[in-house]
Amino acid sequence: MAIDLSQLSRPTAGRPLIATLFSEGGMGKTTLAAMIPKPVFIRAEDGTASLDGHPDVMLFPVAKSTADVFEAIEALAGGGHDRKTVVLDSITQFEKLAVKEIIDSEPNPKCKNMAAAHGGYGKAFGMLDAKHQELREACDYLATDCGMNVVFIAHATTEELELPDVDKYSRYTIQLHKNRQYDCVHHYSNNADMVAFVRLVTNLRGAEGGKKRALSSGEREIICFPVASNISKNRYNITAPIQFDLGGDFPFEKYVAQ
């Protein structure tokens, strides 16, 4: 079939945002997500206490299963609401729900773990990866067909990298299953407009060559451009840390569909 060149278009801004926000506990990622226009939270965990009294946040009941999460997405896809943003809080806890379901569905009581369940050889981890893929595709539909911003909240962990051109080092990454066979992180880092790590602004104090202490005033910053210390990226040409005040303005307002 011939390609019709009249269908070519130029890049445009203003389309829905797809972003992943991750950090260690207490950094304010839920508060940051709540700043995005008219958010509704699909909760796999009850981490929204900090939003008490927020005038524009809506909450689904805390999900008890992955089916509850998909039913909430289906309800939003049906329309009839004024929500502009869906927040998945959190994909780390969603994975725990999925793991429990995969293990519970294994009939052999001697194989009630991810390594041995469903015949072993990584099959259970493949089922987990497929569940993340299903979630990502459902949320992509909300963005592309329903015009909603999509925000994935995740917990942080560290991983060691062994690259051919540098010494081994550690970095922060999203707390999800990852091995050589299945990498669940990529569902939320690839094909996303932004992957942002929220951290404390930290300074080291101490004598040269001696033991140093990490000190922080509690000031937070958002890293959403490539650095060695954590996974992060953006499609908006942001190249410097962004200061983040829990009681301040939304730092990404100009990039998000209103």
Side-chain angles (χ1 to χ4, degrees), residues 15-20 69-70 73 86 88 91 94 128-145 148 150-152 174 176 183-195 233 235:
R15 65 176 180 79
L17 169 77
I18 299 177
T20 299
V69 173
F70 289 112
I73 293 172
V86 58
L88 276 293
I91 54 174
F94 172 85
L128 177 62
D129 186 78
K131 188 65 71 171
H132 280 293
Q133 178 67 27
E134 183 182 0
L135 177 63
R136 178 59 200 262
E137 290 176 355
C139 291
D140 283 351
Y141 179 83
L142 292 180
T144 58
D145 289 58
M148 297 187 72
V150 175
V151 179
F152 301 107
I174 298 166
L176 293 174
D183 175 9
C184 295
V185 173
H186 84 274
H187 295 296
Y188 309 100
S189 58
N190 295 356
N191 198 26
D193 299 306
M194 180 181 297
V195 178
K233 57 176 273 191
R235 292 173 172 166

Side-chain angles (χ1 to χ4, degrees), residues 40-66:
V40 55
F41 281 69
I42 299 177
R43 297 181 292 167
E45 60 182 272
D46 192 4
T48 53
S50 63
L51 305 182
D52 184 36
H54 194 292
D56 203 28
V57 171
M58 301 294 288
L59 308 173
F60 279 98
V62 177
K64 303 300 183 184
S65 66
T66 59

Side-chain angles (χ1 to χ4, degrees), residues 3-223:
I3 296 176
D4 183 359
L5 294 180
S6 67
Q7 296 179 347
L8 293 175
S9 62
R10 295 186 180 277
T12 58
R15 65 176 180 79
L17 169 77
I18 299 177
T20 299
L21 309 177
F22 76 108
S23 74
E24 297 181 295
M27 290 296 104
K29 50 189 178 291
T30 299
T31 300
L32 177 59
M35 293 178 177
I36 303 178
K38 294 188 176 180
V40 55
F41 281 69
I42 299 177
R43 297 181 292 167
E45 60 182 272
D46 192 4
T48 53
S50 63
L51 305 182
D52 184 36
H54 194 292
D56 203 28
V57 171
M58 301 294 288
L59 308 173
F60 279 98
V62 177
K64 303 300 183 184
S65 66
T66 59
D68 290 345
V69 173
F70 289 112
E71 287 175 6
I73 293 172
E74 184 177 357
L76 292 173
H81 60 83
D82 68 344
R83 299 294 91 188
K84 298 294 185 182
T85 303
V86 58
V87 181
L88 276 293
D89 187 10
S90 67
I91 54 174
T92 304
Q93 184 61 31
F94 172 85
E95 178 171 278
K96 293 180 180 179
L97 293 175
V99 166
K100 183 179 185 303
E101 292 170 5
I102 291 168
I103 293 175
D104 287 348
S105 65
E106 166 56 56
N108 188 341
K110 296 182 179 180
C111 298
K112 292 293 188 177
N113 60 77
M114 290 294 285
H118 301 284
Y121 298 101
K123 185 175 180 180
F125 291 111
M127 295 168 67
L128 177 62
D129 186 78
K131 188 65 71 171
H132 280 293
Q133 178 67 27
E134 183 182 0
L135 177 63
R136 178 59 200 262
E137 290 176 355
C139 291
D140 283 351
Y141 179 83
L142 292 180
T144 58
D145 289 58
C146 304
M148 297 187 72
N149 302 302
V150 175
V151 179
F152 301 107
I153 291 178
H155 300 286
T157 188
T158 58
E159 63 178 352
E160 282 198 344
L161 296 182
E162 289 190 64
L163 303 178
D165 54 345
V166 295
D167 292 337
K168 182 190 297 186
Y169 69 96
S170 298
R171 70 173 179 178
Y172 287 103
T173 187
I174 298 166
Q175 186 181 326
L176 293 174
H177 173 74
K178 182 177 181 179
N179 62 16
R180 292 182 179 180
Q181 190 175 11
Y182 294 106
D183 175 9
C184 295
V185 173
H186 84 274
H187 295 296
Y188 309 100
S189 58
N190 295 356
N191 198 26
D193 299 306
M194 180 181 297
V195 178
F197 180 58
V198 185
R199 69 182 187 184
L200 290 175
V201 178
T202 304
N203 297 298
L204 294 178
R205 292 288 186 271
E208 186 69 29
K211 188 174 181 179
K212 291 182 171 58
R213 292 189 303 160
L215 301 176
S216 175
S217 66
E219 184 180 355
R220 293 163 172 82
E221 64 182 5
I222 302 169
I223 307 298

